[in-house]
Amino acid sequence: AKKKQGIEELLESVLVQAEMNELKANPNRYAIGTVLEAKLDKREGPKATLLIQNGSLRTGDFIVVGTTFGKIRRMTNDLNQIIDVAEPATPVSVIGLDEVPLAGDKFVALDDEKLTKDISTAKKLAKEDKTALIIAHRNPDGDTVGSASAFCRGLRALGKTAYLYRN
């Protein structure tokens, strides 16, 4: 890469592999992705540029970004046009976060404001106190929640603080 050799061949082989393995993002789910850059704008508050890796991000979605959270009040594309929905592989600039996130932080969109606040708070506590946050999704047979509970008990037995959130 430093000598700018073989880049075209590498790109071509990645595209061929993606096509052969049918690697595609699912636009019909909540968005997940990464923060590309973030700053504190004097007029608009915390502003972050996000790259959506999977799912669709919509104006009004609640998101957890690193240890912060927010509700997307406005979203603009790379041409600085206001948009309502952003599909996978789309970089967008969002306004509505509680704090300025760090570049490289992962984000996830959710539909529940209380859940985003709870996750953000637990992540802050985990970062400060070296605690563990375990999120268990309910499923019909209950295996996930039971396994997460056992894992949480094991951490507590080792003297660690662990929180189990069941949604």
Side-chain angles (χ1 to χ4, degrees), residues 6-7 18 25-27 36 54 60 63-64 68 73 75 79-81 88-89 96 109 113 117 130 134 138 143 161 163:
I7 294 175
N26 180 4
L36 298 177
N54 202 356
I63 60 173
V64 177
T68 190
R73 288 187 278 138
M75 197 167 35
L79 301 174
N80 212 21
Q81 300 167 329
E113 182 177 16
K117 286 182 181 178
K130 306 287 189 257
I134 300 148
R138 286 192 191 119
D143 289 333
T161 305
Y163 299 99

Side-chain angles (χ1 to χ4, degrees), residues 8 27 32 59 67-68 74 96 98 115 120 132 155 162:
E8 289 295 322
I32 57 172
T59 302
T67 58
T68 190
R74 191 176 79 211
D98 192 41
L115 177 60
S120 174
L155 285 174

Side-chain angles (χ1 to χ4, degrees), residues 35 64-69 101-102 105-108 119-120 123-124:
V35 177
V64 177
V65 186
T67 58
T68 190
F69 69 96
L102 298 174
D105 279 351
K106 301 294 183 191
F107 78 88
V108 62
I119 292 172
S120 174
K123 286 175 103 176
K124 284 179 185 175

Side-chain angles (χ1 to χ4, degrees), residues 61-139:
D61 280 353
F62 297 99
I63 60 173
V64 177
V65 186
T67 58
T68 190
F69 69 96
K71 179 178 180 180
I72 304 215
R73 288 187 278 138
R74 191 176 79 211
M75 197 167 35
T76 56
N77 63 10
D78 55 340
L79 301 174
N80 212 21
Q81 300 167 329
I82 296 174
I83 58 174
D84 291 326
V85 179
E87 301 272 319
T90 306
V92 291
S93 181
V94 298
I95 295 170
L97 296 174
D98 192 41
E99 300 171 359
V100 178
L102 298 174
D105 279 351
K106 301 294 183 191
F107 78 88
V108 62
L110 302 166
D111 62 351
D112 185 2
E113 182 177 16
K114 184 180 181 321
L115 177 60
T116 58
K117 286 182 181 178
D118 290 347
I119 292 172
S120 174
T121 302
K123 286 175 103 176
K124 284 179 185 175
L125 288 172
K127 187 176 182 181
E128 292 170 4
D129 300 335
K130 306 287 189 257
T131 58
L133 170 66
I134 300 148
I135 301 172
H137 296 282
R138 286 192 191 119
N139 61 9

Side-chain angles (χ1 to χ4, degrees), residues 6-20:
I7 294 175
E8 289 295 322
E9 293 82 9
L10 177 63
L11 181 58
E12 186 176 326
S13 70
V14 168
L15 292 173
V16 168
Q17 287 291 329
E19 189 174 320
M20 287 176 52

